[in-house]
Amino acid sequence: MGEENMRKRKGETNRERDEQSIQSKESKTMNLQKEVGLISGICIIVGTVIGSGIFISPKSVLVSVGAVGPCLVIWAACGILSTLGALCYAELGTMITKSGGEYPYLMEAFGPIPAYLFSWTSLLVIKPSSFAIISLSFAEYAAAPFYPGCEPPVVVIKCLAAAVIVIITTVNSLSVKLGSYVQNFFTAAKMIIVIIIIVCGFVLLAQGKTENFKNSFNDAKISAGSISLAFYNGLWAYDGWNQLNYITEELKNPYRNLPLSIIIGIPLVSVCYVLINISYFTIMTSTELQQSQAVAVTFGDRVLYPASWIVPLFVVFSTIGAANGTCFTAGRLVYVAGREGHMLKVLSYISIKRFTPAPAIIFYGAIAIIYIIPGDINTLINYFSFAVWIFYGSTVFALIVMRFTRKELKRPIKIPIVIPILVTIVSILLVLAPIISEPEWAYLYCVLFMLGGLLFYVLFIHFKFNWAQKISRPITMHLQMLLEVVPPEEVPE
């Protein structure tokens, strides 16, 4: 009898241990895992900001201001503005430690409608189209060596772009760590070409190649409109400075690593951008740079020949890194919007085996592939990109509002109030600049599309019509079984 009782107690103990193990595993399954450290955080910022822009299209800033001196000043000023904006986001990110970037901040400050409009515009236009353009840039550079002397076929470019979207989406759906490792590798690769261009620039300067810097402010086009458009183009190259706020829940020790990643990452990018532009001007005149289709390739042909093939190769690495960083962070916006009930609930579910927001990332990749199908979407991006600064400005303004309405919130970082005020004013100017300088109906269409999200909000979120629930419920159930995903736990306030 004594032995039997001991066996029973032993069996009960084993069962309790198994149940605790299962509960522990389930609790781990229900939330995103904190896998991103300081180095990975810096790499996500640097890797996402430094994409194809600085290598192929710095001429847009030069065209706006017309001279070397103002061009370099604009690049430096854009870096300062991005750093100030990122510092505002550092306070927001440590005050509200939720993933999703601007979304939770707008939700806390202004309620669900502005947050929903942000997710509506970002998820359906801004982010997937940006992902598509970066992927198309990759495809053009990857295909170019196989078609010397002529442009690659459009079908080849689109198929390559779709393939890289599928690969990056798959990598980020499989593992947070794998996505981080891919980001770290390609960030290291792109920093190699950045260093090569900067070192070549210093060598050329040491050899006395300074002719293009003499009288560098002559023939400058200085006006409110030209400066605004130059800022607009420069800040587009810096876009991505807020990416770490999209994955706050996955940061190890976010109170330390979020601000540190920003303080190190953004100034590092700013210094690199200014030095790269100086390097370009050591070998190209202002006119030559404006005529170049791909500035970095022109630089490589003149300076690195016969090893000029290095430049397009590393531009390919750069674009893959930027696309991976965009996918890694934007998938979290879909996840958070789904968790709040502003998108299909299944988009907020987390993979049981991989601990990643797999449905959200797959949805994001699918929308990006749709954007590849039409012809030239650069025009679409130009008209919609000013919407980005509407939400950047609104988010920084939310920081000002919450200083007075949410005084009880813990603020591990508290920046001077003058910084968010300055960034908000600049955001308003950036939004109004293209409309005032070159007014077009397309800007009105963009605003109408953004406000069109209100119709969906009223029908499907505010009133929650039964027929919509009846349709979405079986879809959610089947996708849950197919993808092996479960709802996340409630995030503690």
Side-chain angles (χ1 to χ4, degrees):
M1 285 291 290
E3 288 180 10
E4 193 175 332
N5 287 335
M6 283 182 67
R7 277 199 301 271
K8 280 182 181 179
R9 280 198 295 271
K10 197 172 183 180
E12 287 171 2
T13 303
N14 288 337
R15 275 198 303 274
E16 286 173 6
R17 194 185 301 120
D18 291 342
E19 285 172 5
Q20 287 173 358
S21 175
I22 291 167
Q23 287 171 1
S24 173
K25 190 173 182 180
E26 283 178 351
S27 68
K28 185 182 180 185
T29 303
M30 295 302 179
N31 279 319
L32 298 174
Q33 300 303 294
K34 292 185 181 293
E35 302 280 10
V36 182
L38 177 61
I39 300 299
S40 292
I42 295 169
C43 285
I44 286 170
I45 290 175
V46 175
T48 306
V49 173
I50 302 179
S52 57
I54 189 62
F55 298 123
I56 60 176
S57 59
K59 66 179 181 180
S60 55
V61 175
L62 183 60
V63 167
S64 297
V65 293
V68 173
C71 177
L72 295 176
V73 171
I74 291 292
W75 279 105
C78 288
I80 293 168
L81 180 59
S82 299
T83 304
L84 294 178
L87 287 172
C88 296
Y89 273 59
E91 178 174 332
L92 286 164
T94 52
M95 180 173 65
I96 302 167
T97 54
K98 292 181 181 178
S99 293
E102 293 85 351
Y103 184 90
Y105 314 144
L106 292 170
M107 176 75 81
E108 291 285 341
F110 305 122
I113 292 178
Y116 175 80
L117 290 178
F118 168 73
S119 64
W120 164 264
T121 308
S122 293
L123 298 181
L124 296 180
V125 178
I126 296 170
K127 295 194 174 295
S129 55
S130 175
F131 189 15
I133 281 184
I134 293 169
S135 302
L136 286 167
S137 300
F138 154 81
E140 287 177 4
Y141 273 84
F146 299 98
Y147 297 90
C150 64
E151 290 187 4
V154 175
V155 174
V156 172
I157 289 174
K158 290 184 178 180
C159 288
L160 274 174
V164 80
I165 286 174
V166 169
I167 291 168
I168 289 171
T169 302
T170 303
V171 165
N172 283 279
S173 297
L174 288 176
S175 169
V176 172
K177 272 189 176 178
L178 184 58
S180 290
Y181 290 152
V182 168
Q183 191 64 36
N184 294 357
F185 171 77
F186 283 113
T187 299
K190 76 175 65 179
M191 289 310 294
I192 290 172
I193 192 63
V194 165
I195 291 167
I196 289 172
I197 292 173
I198 290 171
V199 169
C200 288
F202 277 123
V203 171
L204 290 166
L205 284 173
Q207 292 173 352
K209 299 277 187 180
T210 59
E211 303 87 16
N212 296 331
F213 299 100
K214 294 173 182 176
N215 303 317
S216 59
F217 284 84
N218 286 0
D219 304 320
K221 296 182 289 185
I222 305 298
S223 67
S226 65
I227 291 173
S228 299
L229 289 173
F231 261 98
Y232 200 66
N233 291 310
L235 287 167
W236 179 253
Y238 278 96
D239 198 47
W241 49 265
N242 61 328
Q243 293 298 297
L244 217 56
N245 291 68
Y246 282 81
I247 57 165
T248 307
E249 292 173 36
E250 292 162 87
L251 280 174
K252 299 173 184 173
N253 191 6
Y255 297 119
R256 171 184 175 270
N257 289 337
L258 177 61
L260 268 181
S261 298
I262 288 168
I263 291 165
I264 295 170
I266 307 297
L268 176 62
V269 171
S270 305
V271 170
C272 288
Y273 274 12
V274 172
L275 292 178
I276 288 172
N277 276 278
I278 289 172
S279 299
Y280 290 155
F281 287 121
T282 58
I283 204 70
M284 283 178 275
T285 65
S286 176
T287 305
E288 288 171 337
L289 193 143
Q290 290 182 49
Q291 292 173 346
S292 172
Q293 294 301 311
V295 179
V297 174
T298 305
F299 180 88
D301 289 340
R302 295 188 182 186
V303 178
L304 299 175
Y305 187 82
S308 57
W309 56 268
I310 289 174
V311 175
L313 175 67
F314 278 91
V315 169
V316 165
F317 288 161
S318 177
T319 50
I320 292 176
N324 182 75
T326 304
C327 179
F328 187 82
T329 55
R332 274 61 182 173
L333 173 58
V334 191
Y335 157 75
V336 174
R339 186 174 67 190
E340 297 290 342
H342 285 181
M343 289 285 160
L344 282 173
K345 272 290 179 186
V346 71
L347 295 178
S348 70
Y349 288 9
I350 297 172
S351 170
I352 294 172
K353 296 178 180 177
R354 308 291 182 181
F355 314 124
T356 61
I361 293 172
I362 292 167
F363 172 83
Y364 176 59
I367 298 293
I369 288 174
I370 291 170
Y371 272 88
I372 284 175
I373 297 169
D376 178 27
I377 59 173
N378 284 284
T379 307
L380 183 68
I381 286 295
N382 288 337
Y383 293 136
F384 274 86
S385 58
F386 89 100
V388 172
W389 277 93
I390 291 177
F391 291 111
Y392 286 168
S394 301
T395 305
V396 175
F397 183 63
L399 172 60
I400 300 170
V401 170
M402 285 191 283
R403 284 283 181 94
F404 301 99
T405 61
R406 302 297 300 276
K407 293 180 180 179
E408 77 283 1
L409 289 175
K410 182 183 175 185
R411 290 173 170 81
I413 297 172
K414 193 170 182 179
I415 60 172
I417 192 72
V418 68
I419 293 177
I421 291 172
L422 177 64
V423 174
T424 303
I425 293 169
V426 173
S427 301
I428 293 168
L429 294 175
L430 285 169
V431 170
L432 295 178
I435 300 173
I436 294 169
S437 60
E438 295 179 18
E440 293 188 29
W441 284 104
Y443 295 120
L444 177 63
Y445 298 150
C446 176
V447 173
L448 290 176
F449 177 85
M450 291 166 58
L451 296 177
L454 289 173
L455 180 64
F456 285 82
Y457 180 85
V458 170
L459 292 177
F460 301 114
I461 296 168
H462 184 71
F463 288 112
K464 296 182 179 177
F465 287 136
N466 288 332
W467 60 268
Q469 300 290 326
K470 287 177 182 177
I471 293 171
S472 65
R473 197 173 290 117
I475 293 173
T476 300
M477 185 180 69
H478 285 93
L479 286 174
Q480 190 174 353
M481 290 188 292
L482 177 67
L483 300 174
E484 296 183 327
V485 290
V486 294
E489 286 183 342
E490 291 294 323
V491 178
E493 295 295 330

mmCIF file with all atom_site columns, all heavy atoms in Angstrom, residues 340-356:
data_model
loop_
_atom_site.group_PDB
_atom_site.id
_atom_site.type_symbol
_atom_site.label_atom_id
_atom_site.label_alt_id
_atom_site.label_comp_id
_atom_site.label_asym_id
_atom_site.label_entity_id
_atom_site.label_seq_id
_atom_site.pdbx_PDB_ins_code
_atom_site.Cartn_x
_atom_site.Cartn_y
_atom_site.Cartn_z
_atom_site.occupancy
_atom_site.B_iso_or_equiv
_atom_site.pdbx_formal_charge
_atom_site.auth_seq_id
_atom_site.auth_comp_id
_atom_site.auth_asym_id
_atom_site.auth_atom_id
_atom_site.pdbx_PDB_model_num
ATOM 1   N N   . GLU A 1 340 ? -6.020  44.988 -32.112 1.00 0.00 ? 340 GLU A N   1
ATOM 2   C CA  . GLU A 1 340 ? -6.950  46.013 -31.630 1.00 0.00 ? 340 GLU A CA  1
ATOM 3   C C   . GLU A 1 340 ? -8.328  45.914 -32.284 1.00 0.00 ? 340 GLU A C   1
ATOM 4   O O   . GLU A 1 340 ? -9.212  46.707 -31.975 1.00 0.00 ? 340 GLU A O   1
ATOM 5   C CB  . GLU A 1 340 ? -6.359  47.411 -31.884 1.00 0.00 ? 340 GLU A CB  1
ATOM 6   C CG  . GLU A 1 340 ? -5.062  47.697 -31.140 1.00 0.00 ? 340 GLU A CG  1
ATOM 7   C CD  . GLU A 1 340 ? -5.265  47.853 -29.641 1.00 0.00 ? 340 GLU A CD  1
ATOM 8   O OE1 . GLU A 1 340 ? -6.411  48.069 -29.214 1.00 0.00 ? 340 GLU A OE1 1
ATOM 9   O OE2 . GLU A 1 340 ? -4.271  47.743 -28.903 1.00 0.00 ? 340 GLU A OE2 1
ATOM 10  N N   . GLY A 1 341 ? -8.490  44.962 -33.225 1.00 0.00 ? 341 GLY A N   1
ATOM 11  C CA  . GLY A 1 341 ? -9.774  44.792 -33.899 1.00 0.00 ? 341 GLY A CA  1
ATOM 12  C C   . GLY A 1 341 ? -9.957  45.689 -35.098 1.00 0.00 ? 341 GLY A C   1
ATOM 13  O O   . GLY A 1 341 ? -11.063 45.824 -35.614 1.00 0.00 ? 341 GLY A O   1
ATOM 14  N N   . HIS A 1 342 ? -8.868  46.339 -35.575 1.00 0.00 ? 342 HIS A N   1
ATOM 15  C CA  . HIS A 1 342 ? -8.952  47.245 -36.712 1.00 0.00 ? 342 HIS A CA  1
ATOM 16  C C   . HIS A 1 342 ? -8.637  46.549 -38.034 1.00 0.00 ? 342 HIS A C   1
ATOM 17  O O   . HIS A 1 342 ? -8.711  47.170 -39.094 1.00 0.00 ? 342 HIS A O   1
ATOM 18  C CB  . HIS A 1 342 ? -8.014  48.437 -36.524 1.00 0.00 ? 342 HIS A CB  1
ATOM 19  C CG  . HIS A 1 342 ? -8.536  49.415 -35.521 1.00 0.00 ? 342 HIS A CG  1
ATOM 20  N ND1 . HIS A 1 342 ? -7.875  50.567 -35.196 1.00 0.00 ? 342 HIS A ND1 1
ATOM 21  C CD2 . HIS A 1 342 ? -9.668  49.406 -34.760 1.00 0.00 ? 342 HIS A CD2 1
ATOM 22  C CE1 . HIS A 1 342 ? -8.577  51.231 -34.276 1.00 0.00 ? 342 HIS A CE1 1
ATOM 23  N NE2 . HIS A 1 342 ? -9.657  50.537 -33.998 1.00 0.00 ? 342 HIS A NE2 1
ATOM 24  N N   . MET A 1 343 ? -8.249  45.296 -37.966 1.00 0.00 ? 343 MET A N   1
ATOM 25  C CA  . MET A 1 343 ? -8.064  44.457 -39.150 1.00 0.00 ? 343 MET A CA  1
ATOM 26  C C   . MET A 1 343 ? -8.629  43.085 -38.795 1.00 0.00 ? 343 MET A C   1
ATOM 27  O O   . MET A 1 343 ? -9.079  42.866 -37.679 1.00 0.00 ? 343 MET A O   1
ATOM 28  C CB  . MET A 1 343 ? -6.575  44.358 -39.526 1.00 0.00 ? 343 MET A CB  1
ATOM 29  C CG  . MET A 1 343 ? -5.999  45.639 -40.082 1.00 0.00 ? 343 MET A CG  1
ATOM 30  S SD  . MET A 1 343 ? -6.522  45.937 -41.778 1.00 0.00 ? 343 MET A SD  1
ATOM 31  C CE  . MET A 1 343 ? -6.233  47.697 -41.924 1.00 0.00 ? 343 MET A CE  1
ATOM 32  N N   . LEU A 1 344 ? -8.604  42.157 -39.753 1.00 0.00 ? 344 LEU A N   1
ATOM 33  C CA  . LEU A 1 344 ? -9.056  40.798 -39.451 1.00 0.00 ? 344 LEU A CA  1
ATOM 34  C C   . LEU A 1 344 ? -8.315  40.262 -38.228 1.00 0.00 ? 344 LEU A C   1
ATOM 35  O O   . LEU A 1 344 ? -7.088  40.398 -38.141 1.00 0.00 ? 344 LEU A O   1
ATOM 36  C CB  . LEU A 1 344 ? -8.798  39.880 -40.651 1.00 0.00 ? 344 LEU A CB  1
ATOM 37  C CG  . LEU A 1 344 ? -9.777  39.981 -41.823 1.00 0.00 ? 344 LEU A CG  1
ATOM 38  C CD1 . LEU A 1 344 ? -9.276  39.132 -42.984 1.00 0.00 ? 344 LEU A CD1 1
ATOM 39  C CD2 . LEU A 1 344 ? -11.172 39.540 -41.413 1.00 0.00 ? 344 LEU A CD2 1
ATOM 40  N N   . LYS A 1 345 ? -9.034  39.654 -37.301 1.00 0.00 ? 345 LYS A N   1
ATOM 41  C CA  . LYS A 1 345 ? -8.430  39.168 -36.056 1.00 0.00 ? 345 LYS A CA  1
ATOM 42  C C   . LYS A 1 345 ? -7.285  38.202 -36.308 1.00 0.00 ? 345 LYS A C   1
ATOM 43  O O   . LYS A 1 345 ? -6.295  38.173 -35.573 1.00 0.00 ? 345 LYS A O   1
ATOM 44  C CB  . LYS A 1 345 ? -9.503  38.479 -35.192 1.00 0.00 ? 345 LYS A CB  1
ATOM 45  C CG  . LYS A 1 345 ? -10.248 39.424 -34.260 1.00 0.00 ? 345 LYS A CG  1
ATOM 46  C CD  . LYS A 1 345 ? -9.327  39.910 -33.141 1.00 0.00 ? 345 LYS A CD  1
ATOM 47  C CE  . LYS A 1 345 ? -10.050 40.882 -32.215 1.00 0.00 ? 345 LYS A CE  1
ATOM 48  N NZ  . LYS A 1 345 ? -9.123  41.461 -31.218 1.00 0.00 ? 345 LYS A NZ  1
ATOM 49  N N   . VAL A 1 346 ? -7.413  37.390 -37.371 1.00 0.00 ? 346 VAL A N   1
ATOM 50  C CA  . VAL A 1 346 ? -6.384  36.376 -37.630 1.00 0.00 ? 346 VAL A CA  1
ATOM 51  C C   . VAL A 1 346 ? -5.026  37.027 -37.897 1.00 0.00 ? 346 VAL A C   1
ATOM 52  O O   . VAL A 1 346 ? -3.981  36.403 -37.690 1.00 0.00 ? 346 VAL A O   1
ATOM 53  C CB  . VAL A 1 346 ? -6.807  35.466 -38.814 1.00 0.00 ? 346 VAL A CB  1
ATOM 54  C CG1 . VAL A 1 346 ? -6.730  36.221 -40.149 1.00 0.00 ? 346 VAL A CG1 1
ATOM 55  C CG2 . VAL A 1 346 ? -5.970  34.206 -38.861 1.00 0.00 ? 346 VAL A CG2 1
ATOM 56  N N   . LEU A 1 347 ? -5.021  38.298 -38.324 1.00 0.00 ? 347 LEU A N   1
ATOM 57  C CA  . LEU A 1 347 ? -3.756  38.976 -38.588 1.00 0.00 ? 347 LEU A CA  1
ATOM 58  C C   . LEU A 1 347 ? -2.975  39.261 -37.306 1.00 0.00 ? 347 LEU A C   1
ATOM 59  O O   . LEU A 1 347 ? -1.777  39.551 -37.359 1.00 0.00 ? 347 LEU A O   1
ATOM 60  C CB  . LEU A 1 347 ? -4.009  40.290 -39.334 1.00 0.00 ? 347 LEU A CB  1
ATOM 61  C CG  . LEU A 1 347 ? -4.592  40.161 -40.747 1.00 0.00 ? 347 LEU A CG  1
ATOM 62  C CD1 . LEU A 1 347 ? -4.849  41.526 -41.350 1.00 0.00 ? 347 LEU A CD1 1
ATOM 63  C CD2 . LEU A 1 347 ? -3.686  39.343 -41.645 1.00 0.00 ? 347 LEU A CD2 1
ATOM 64  N N   . SER A 1 348 ? -3.644  39.187 -36.161 1.00 0.00 ? 348 SER A N   1
ATOM 65  C CA  . SER A 1 348 ? -2.951  39.418 -34.884 1.00 0.00 ? 348 SER A CA  1
ATOM 66  C C   . SER A 1 348 ? -2.476  38.116 -34.254 1.00 0.00 ? 348 SER A C   1
ATOM 67  O O   . SER A 1 348 ? -1.863  38.138 -33.188 1.00 0.00 ? 348 SER A O   1
ATOM 68  C CB  . SER A 1 348 ? -3.888  40.134 -33.906 1.00 0.00 ? 348 SER A CB  1
ATOM 69  O OG  . SER A 1 348 ? -4.927  39.269 -33.484 1.00 0.00 ? 348 SER A OG  1
ATOM 70  N N   . TYR A 1 349 ? -2.745  36.974 -34.900 1.00 0.00 ? 349 TYR A N   1
ATOM 71  C CA  . TYR A 1 349 ? -2.392  35.689 -34.311 1.00 0.00 ? 349 TYR A CA  1
ATOM 72  C C   . TYR A 1 349 ? -0.897  35.407 -34.480 1.00 0.00 ? 349 TYR A C   1
ATOM 73  O O   . TYR A 1 349 ? -0.237  35.947 -35.358 1.00 0.00 ? 349 TYR A O   1
ATOM 74  C CB  . TYR A 1 349 ? -3.207  34.560 -34.947 1.00 0.00 ? 349 TYR A CB  1
ATOM 75  C CG  . TYR A 1 349 ? -4.667  34.555 -34.548 1.00 0.00 ? 349 TYR A CG  1
ATOM 76  C CD1 . TYR A 1 349 ? -5.232  35.610 -33.827 1.00 0.00 ? 349 TYR A CD1 1
ATOM 77  C CD2 . TYR A 1 349 ? -5.505  33.500 -34.902 1.00 0.00 ? 349 TYR A CD2 1
ATOM 78  C CE1 . TYR A 1 349 ? -6.561  35.612 -33.473 1.00 0.00 ? 349 TYR A CE1 1
ATOM 79  C CE2 . TYR A 1 349 ? -6.845  33.492 -34.548 1.00 0.00 ? 349 TYR A CE2 1
ATOM 80  C CZ  . TYR A 1 349 ? -7.371  34.548 -33.838 1.00 0.00 ? 349 TYR A CZ  1
ATOM 81  O OH  . TYR A 1 349 ? -8.687  34.551 -33.491 1.00 0.00 ? 349 TYR A OH  1
ATOM 82  N N   . ILE A 1 350 ? -0.391  34.554 -33.589 1.00 0.00 ? 350 ILE A N   1
ATOM 83  C CA  . ILE A 1 350 ? 1.041   34.251 -33.540 1.00 0.00 ? 350 ILE A CA  1
ATOM 84  C C   . ILE A 1 350 ? 1.260   32.768 -33.777 1.00 0.00 ? 350 ILE A C   1
ATOM 85  O O   . ILE A 1 350 ? 0.505   31.927 -33.277 1.00 0.00 ? 350 ILE A O   1
ATOM 86  C CB  . ILE A 1 350 ? 1.638   34.668 -32.181 1.00 0.00 ? 350 ILE A CB  1
ATOM 87  C CG1 . ILE A 1 350 ? 1.503   36.179 -32.007 1.00 0.00 ? 350 ILE A CG1 1
ATOM 88  C CG2 . ILE A 1 350 ? 3.094   34.259 -32.048 1.00 0.00 ? 350 ILE A CG2 1
ATOM 89  C CD1 . ILE A 1 350 ? 1.893   36.661 -30.632 1.00 0.00 ? 350 ILE A CD1 1
ATOM 90  N N   . SER A 1 351 ? 2.300   32.451 -34.537 1.00 0.00 ? 351 SER A N   1
ATOM 91  C CA  . SER A 1 351 ? 2.630   31.060 -34.833 1.00 0.00 ? 351 SER A CA  1
ATOM 92  C C   . SER A 1 351 ? 2.978   30.295 -33.560 1.00 0.00 ? 351 SER A C   1
ATOM 93  O O   . SER A 1 351 ? 3.772   30.761 -32.737 1.00 0.00 ? 351 SER A O   1
ATOM 94  C CB  . SER A 1 351 ? 3.805   31.000 -35.805 1.00 0.00 ? 351 SER A CB  1
ATOM 95  O OG  . SER A 1 351 ? 4.282   29.681 -35.936 1.00 0.00 ? 351 SER A OG  1
ATOM 96  N N   . ILE A 1 352 ? 2.373   29.116 -33.410 1.00 0.00 ? 352 ILE A N   1
ATOM 97  C CA  . ILE A 1 352 ? 2.631   28.284 -32.218 1.00 0.00 ? 352 ILE A CA  1
ATOM 98  C C   . ILE A 1 352 ? 4.082   27.842 -32.175 1.00 0.00 ? 352 ILE A C   1
ATOM 99  O O   . ILE A 1 352 ? 4.726   27.841 -31.124 1.00 0.00 ? 352 ILE A O   1
ATOM 100 C CB  . ILE A 1 352 ? 1.709   27.043 -32.218 1.00 0.00 ? 352 ILE A CB  1
ATOM 101 C CG1 . ILE A 1 352 ? 0.246   27.470 -32.057 1.00 0.00 ? 352 ILE A CG1 1
ATOM 102 C CG2 . ILE A 1 352 ? 2.092   26.069 -31.117 1.00 0.00 ? 352 ILE A CG2 1
ATOM 103 C CD1 . ILE A 1 352 ? -0.746  26.336 -32.250 1.00 0.00 ? 352 ILE A CD1 1
ATOM 104 N N   . LYS A 1 353 ? 4.631   27.471 -33.331 1.00 0.00 ? 353 LYS A N   1
ATOM 105 C CA  . LYS A 1 353 ? 5.980   26.900 -33.377 1.00 0.00 ? 353 LYS A CA  1
ATOM 106 C C   . LYS A 1 353 ? 7.065   27.962 -33.522 1.00 0.00 ? 353 LYS A C   1
ATOM 107 O O   . LYS A 1 353 ? 8.171   27.797 -33.014 1.00 0.00 ? 353 LYS A O   1
ATOM 108 C CB  . LYS A 1 353 ? 6.082   25.915 -34.548 1.00 0.00 ? 353 LYS A CB  1
ATOM 109 C CG  . LYS A 1 353 ? 5.172   24.696 -34.405 1.00 0.00 ? 353 LYS A CG  1
ATOM 110 C CD  . LYS A 1 353 ? 5.292   23.789 -35.620 1.00 0.00 ? 353 LYS A CD  1
ATOM 111 C CE  . LYS A 1 353 ? 4.380   22.561 -35.488 1.00 0.00 ? 353 LYS A CE  1
ATOM 112 N NZ  . LYS A 1 353 ? 4.428   21.706 -36.694 1.00 0.00 ? 353 LYS A NZ  1
ATOM 113 N N   . ARG A 1 354 ? 6.741   29.058 -34.230 1.00 0.00 ? 354 ARG A N   1
ATOM 114 C CA  . ARG A 1 354 ? 7.787   30.021 -34.581 1.00 0.00 ? 354 ARG A CA  1
ATOM 115 C C   . ARG A 1 354 ? 7.768   31.290 -33.734 1.00 0.00 ? 354 ARG A C   1
ATOM 116 O O   . ARG A 1 354 ? 8.734   32.061 -33.769 1.00 0.00 ? 354 ARG A O   1
ATOM 117 C CB  . ARG A 1 354 ? 7.635   30.444 -36.051 1.00 0.00 ? 354 ARG A CB  1
ATOM 118 C CG  . ARG A 1 354 ? 7.553   29.274 -37.024 1.00 0.00 ? 354 ARG A CG  1
ATOM 119 C CD  . ARG A 1 354 ? 8.856   28.542 -37.133 1.00 0.00 ? 354 ARG A CD  1
ATOM 120 N NE  . ARG A 1 354 ? 8.787   27.452 -38.096 1.00 0.00 ? 354 ARG A NE  1
ATOM 121 C CZ  . ARG A 1 354 ? 9.784   26.644 -38.376 1.00 0.00 ? 354 ARG A CZ  1
ATOM 122 N NH1 . ARG A 1 354 ? 10.950  26.800 -37.772 1.00 0.00 ? 354 ARG A NH1 1
ATOM 123 N NH2 . ARG A 1 354 ? 9.647   25.666 -39.250 1.00 0.00 ? 354 ARG A NH2 1
ATOM 124 N N   . PHE A 1 355 ? 6.666   31.550 -33.013 1.00 0.00 ? 355 PHE A N   1
ATOM 125 C CA  . PHE A 1 355 ? 6.517   32.753 -32.186 1.00 0.00 ? 355 PHE A CA  1
ATOM 126 C C   . PHE A 1 355 ? 6.652   34.044 -33.009 1.00 0.00 ? 355 PHE A C   1
ATOM 127 O O   . PHE A 1 355 ? 7.215   35.034 -32.549 1.00 0.00 ? 355 PHE A O   1
ATOM 128 C CB  . PHE A 1 355 ? 7.522   32.771 -31.030 1.00 0.00 ? 355 PHE A CB  1
ATOM 129 C CG  . PHE A 1 355 ? 7.615   31.479 -30.292 1.00 0.00 ? 355 PHE A CG  1
ATOM 130 C CD1 . PHE A 1 355 ? 8.835   30.820 -30.156 1.00 0.00 ? 355 PHE A CD1 1
ATOM 131 C CD2 . PHE A 1 355 ? 6.482   30.873 -29.755 1.00 0.00 ? 355 PHE A CD2 1
ATOM 132 C CE1 . PHE A 1 355 ? 8.914   29.608 -29.486 1.00 0.00 ? 355 PHE A CE1 1
ATOM 133 C CE2 . PHE A 1 355 ? 6.567   29.675 -29.088 1.00 0.00 ? 355 PHE A CE2 1
ATOM 134 C CZ  . PHE A 1 355 ? 7.777   29.038 -28.952 1.00 0.00 ? 355 PHE A CZ  1
ATOM 135 N N   . THR A 1 356 ? 6.191   34.026 -34.253 1.00 0.00 ? 356 THR A N   1
ATOM 136 C CA  . THR A 1 356 ? 6.220   35.206 -35.122 1.00 0.00 ? 356 THR A CA  1
ATOM 137 C C   . THR A 1 356 ? 4.794   35.549 -35.552 1.00 0.00 ? 356 THR A C   1
ATOM 138 O O   . THR A 1 356 ? 3.940   34.662 -35.605 1.00 0.00 ? 356 THR A O   1
ATOM 139 C CB  . THR A 1 356 ? 7.055   34.949 -36.393 1.00 0.00 ? 356 THR A CB  1
ATOM 140 O OG1 . THR A 1 356 ? 6.461   33.862 -37.120 1.00 0.00 ? 356 THR A OG1 1
ATOM 141 C CG2 . THR A 1 356 ? 8.487   34.609 -36.057 1.00 0.00 ? 356 THR A CG2 1
#
